[in-house]
Amino acid sequence: MANSTLTKQRSEALGSTVALKSAMAVTGVILVLFLVVHMYGNLNVFAGQAAFDNYSHHLRVIGEPMLPHGGFLWIVRVVLLASVLIHIYAAVALWRRAGAARPVRYQATKRVQRSYSSYTMRYGGVLIALFVVFHILHLTTNHIAPGGASDSPYERFVNGFQPEFWYVTLFYVLTVIAVGFHLRHGIWSALTTLGANRQSRQRSLNIIATAIAFVLTVGFLLGPLSVTLGLVE
Amino acid sequence: MNITLRVWRQKGPDDKGRMVTYQVPDVSPDMSFLEMLDVLNEKLQLEGEEPVAFDHDCREGICGACGVVIDGEAHGPETTTTCQLHMRSFKDGDTITVEPWRAKAFPVIKDLVVDRGAFDRIIQAGGYISAPTGTAPDAHAMPVPKADADRAFDAATCIGCGACVAACPNASGMLFTAAKVTHLGMLPQGQPERQARVIKMVNQHDEEDFGGCTNIGECAAVCPKGIPLDTISQLNRDLLGALASGRTE
Ligand code: HEM
Ligand code: SF4
Ligand code: FES
C-alpha cells in the first residue's frame, strides 16, 4: 500500500458513476410516475368512447386559459423527453464503462443471485426505446395506422388492436412485459441508488418494486388485449 | 478423488494467456482448494513444468489474498475464501475451471495472480481518519451507540479480497468502497472528513477504471465477509448529500 502513488484525481464527483446512476434513478422515477398516469388514462377505454375521448381532450385544455391550448401537455412532454434522454445517456455511459471494465471475459460464468430483470436492463431498455418511437407514431401522431386513421383517440386505439392486427398486439404485449421486468429491477435499483436501501427494508423494497411493476404490466395489457379479444369495440 | 482442472496460464502481464487442462489424481476431500493446487504444482515441478502461480498468504480466511474464480463463481461454490474452500465441495471426476479475477482495474501479473493495487489507492484517497497521534485515548472517551458500532464493525471486516469486483457484471468496485465509507462514516471519529472522504474515494474508484454499480447484488452474494449491499446505498446517500451541500472535492 505504502509504495503505490496516487496520481492527481481527474475524475469529478459530479460526473461520477454514482452521479450517473442517480440521474438514471431520478429520471426513472419521473418515467414511472408518468406510466402510472398513462395507465390510468388507458383504462378509460373501458368507460366507452365518450369518456376516453373526453379524457384525451381534457389533457389538452388543462390550465386554460392560464396556459395556451395543449400547453400543459407540452410541458409534460418536454419533461418526459428530457428524462428519457438523460436516462438513456446515463445508461449508455455506464454500459460502455462496464464493457471497458472487463476487457477479458470469463470462460465459465454463473449467476449467483441476480434476477432475470437485473441482467436484461440494457437490452430491455433498448427494446422499450424502440417501442416508444413506434408507439408515438402509432397512437399519438397516427402516421402508422394499421386499422385506419382517426381523429378520435378511442377509434385509433380500437382500430389498432383489431384481431387481424394480432402482431401489433403481440408487439405491445411483449414490450409491456419487458417494461414490467425493467421496472422490477429499476424501481429496486432507483430506491437503492437514492439511499433508501437498508437491510431491514430490503423485503419491503422488493415487494414495492414487484407490486408496482406487476400492476403497471397488467394495467397496460388489459386495454389492447380486450380489444383484440373483442371485449371492447 | 480425481479432478480435471482447467487453469488460466499466463506467463506475464503482456502474455495473451490460455486455458490449460491438468489431471490431479488422489485428491483428498479434506484438502483445501489451495492444497489441491499445491499438489498440482508439486507434480508440475517434478515434470519440469512451471508451477501455476496463485496468490495466498494466511490460508485462514483473513488476508484476502487468495481470490480466484472457480467455475464462474468468485472463491468457488461456498461463500468463503478460496483457502477455506475444501475439496469436499466437489465430486470425484469433476472438471473445475479456474480463472483469475477479471477486471481492467486488476491486471493479471501471472497465471491466477492479479494486481489489486487499485484497492490500495482507493483507501489511500480517503479511507482513513486524520488524527493526532499520541497515547491511545481511553476506550470510553468517545461513546458510540451499540447499533452504530456493530454496523461499523461489520463493514470493517472487509478483507479487500476483490471478490465483489470479480463477481460484478459491471466489474464495479463499489461494495469494497462502500464497506470502507460505511465503516468510517458510522463512527464519531469519521465525521469531520465524511463528505470529503466519500467524494475522494468514489473519484478514485472511477479513476481506476472500475465499472459503475447498478445494484445487481452479486457482490454481496459472494462476499466472504458478508458485507451487505445496503452499504452501497449508504455510500450513495453520503455522496449525494455531499454534492447537495455544494461540495465537489
Ligand atoms: C433505451 C432506453 C432505455 C435504456 C437503454 C435503459 C436502460 C436502463 C438501465 C441500464 C438501467 C439501470 C439498470 C440497473 O440498475 O441495473 C435503467 C434503470 C431504470 N430504468 Fe431504464 N432504460 C431505458 C428506458 C426506460 C424507460 C422507457 C423507462 C420507464 C418506462 C425506464 C425506467 C427505469 C427506471 C425507473 C430505472 C431505475 C433507475 C436506477 O437504476 O436507479 N427506463 N434503465
Ligand atoms: S467487500 Fe467483501 S468481496 Fe469485496 S473486497 Fe471486501 S471482503 Fe472481499
Ligand atoms: S490466503 Fe488469506 S484469505 Fe485466503
Side-chain angles (χ1 to χ4, degrees), chain B residues 9-41:
Chain B
R9 299 302 312 259
Q10 183 174 338
K11 291 198 176 73
D14 301 322
D15 183 20
K16 229 170 98 328
R18 75 218 92 35
M19 297 302 283
V20 179
T21 305
Y22 299 104
Q23 301 298 330
V24 196
D26 300 326
V27 173
S28 151
D30 296 330
M31 281 179 183
S32 74
F33 199 84
L34 299 188
E35 284 164 341
M36 185 273 297
L37 290 178
D38 291 337
V39 169
L40 168 69
N41 279 345

Side-chain angles (χ1 to χ4, degrees), chain A residues 4 9-11 13 17 21 97 101-102 106-108 112-114 122 185 189 192-193 197-199, chain B residues 72 99 102 104 124 165-166 168 170 200 203-204 206-207 210 213-218 230 233 236-237:
Chain A
S4 60
Q9 293 192 338
R10 282 164 289 129
S11 313
T17 51
K21 71 169 172 174
R97 201 185 158 93
R102 177 157 297 137
Y106 290 111
Q107 311 233 345
V112 183
Q113 56 81 48
R114 60 180 155 142
R122 291 172 179 152
H185 179 73
S189 180
T192 301
T193 295
N197 193 321
R198 285 289 163 272
Q199 234 169 351
Chain B
E99 298 171 81
R102 292 291 186 203
K104 178 142 187 259
Q124 223 181 325
V165 176
C168 175
N170 300 311
K200 286 193 225 156
N203 284 351
Q204 192 65 33
D206 287 0
E207 195 113 337
F210 287 107
C213 167
T214 57
N215 306 313
I216 289 178
E218 294 290 271
D230 69 358
S233 205
N236 294 338
R237 192 149 59 160

Side-chain angles (χ1 to χ4, degrees), chain B residues 16-212:
Chain B
K16 229 170 98 328
R18 75 218 92 35
M19 297 302 283
V20 179
T21 305
Y22 299 104
Q23 301 298 330
V24 196
D26 300 326
V27 173
S28 151
D30 296 330
M31 281 179 183
S32 74
F33 199 84
L34 299 188
E35 284 164 341
M36 185 273 297
L37 290 178
D38 291 337
V39 169
L40 168 69
N41 279 345
E42 279 173 19
K43 188 173 103 138
L44 290 180
Q45 250 160 339
L46 287 177
E47 291 166 359
E49 259 196 76
E50 183 81 3
V52 179
F54 61 91
D55 210 351
H56 63 106
D57 188 14
C58 69
R59 297 214 178 192
E60 54 185 21
I62 54 171
C63 75
C66 59
V68 289
V69 172
I70 302 168
D71 284 341
E73 277 184 86
H75 291 302
E78 316 283 345
T79 315
T80 182
T81 53
T82 308
C83 58
Q84 294 298 301
L85 173 69
H86 290 86
M87 293 311 292
R88 53 180 163 271
S89 302
F90 301 89
K91 290 193 312 293
D92 185 31
D94 273 359
T95 298
I96 306 173
T97 305
V98 191
E99 298 171 81
W101 286 170
R102 292 291 186 203
K104 178 142 187 259
F106 289 165
V108 174
I109 299 173
K110 187 176 180 184
D111 297 338
L112 301 173
V113 183
V114 300
D115 177 0
R116 284 174 293 127
F119 270 5
D120 296 338
R121 290 185 292 275
I122 293 178
I123 296 293
Q124 223 181 325
Y128 51 77
I129 284 170
S130 305
T133 52
T135 48
D138 288 336
H140 65 298
M142 200 181 283
V144 183
K146 175 81 165 76
D148 291 358
D150 284 351
R151 186 162 166 82
F153 191 84
D154 285 347
T157 59
C158 166
I159 53 178
C161 64
C164 42
V165 176
C168 175
N170 300 311
S172 174
M174 208 49 89
L175 191 66
F176 167 82
T177 311
K180 191 50 72 181
V181 164
T182 302
H183 160 202
L184 299 175
M186 293 310 292
L187 297 173
Q189 295 89 334
Q191 299 315 309
E193 287 159 303
R194 187 165 178 172
Q195 292 194 336
R197 174 182 311 116
V198 69
I199 288 178
K200 286 193 225 156
M201 291 183 77
V202 167
N203 284 351
Q204 192 65 33
H205 168 279
D206 287 0
E207 195 113 337
E208 298 290 348
D209 290 329
F210 287 107

Side-chain angles (χ1 to χ4, degrees), chain A residues 12 31 33 42 45 71 82 90 101 118 137 142 150 159 163 169 173-174 179 186 198 216 230:
Chain A
E12 280 271 353
L31 295 171
L33 293 178
N42 285 2
V45 80
S118 74
L137 290 176
N142 219 201
S150 166
N159 292 351
T169 310
V173 169
L174 292 179
V179 170
R198 285 289 163 272
L216 282 172

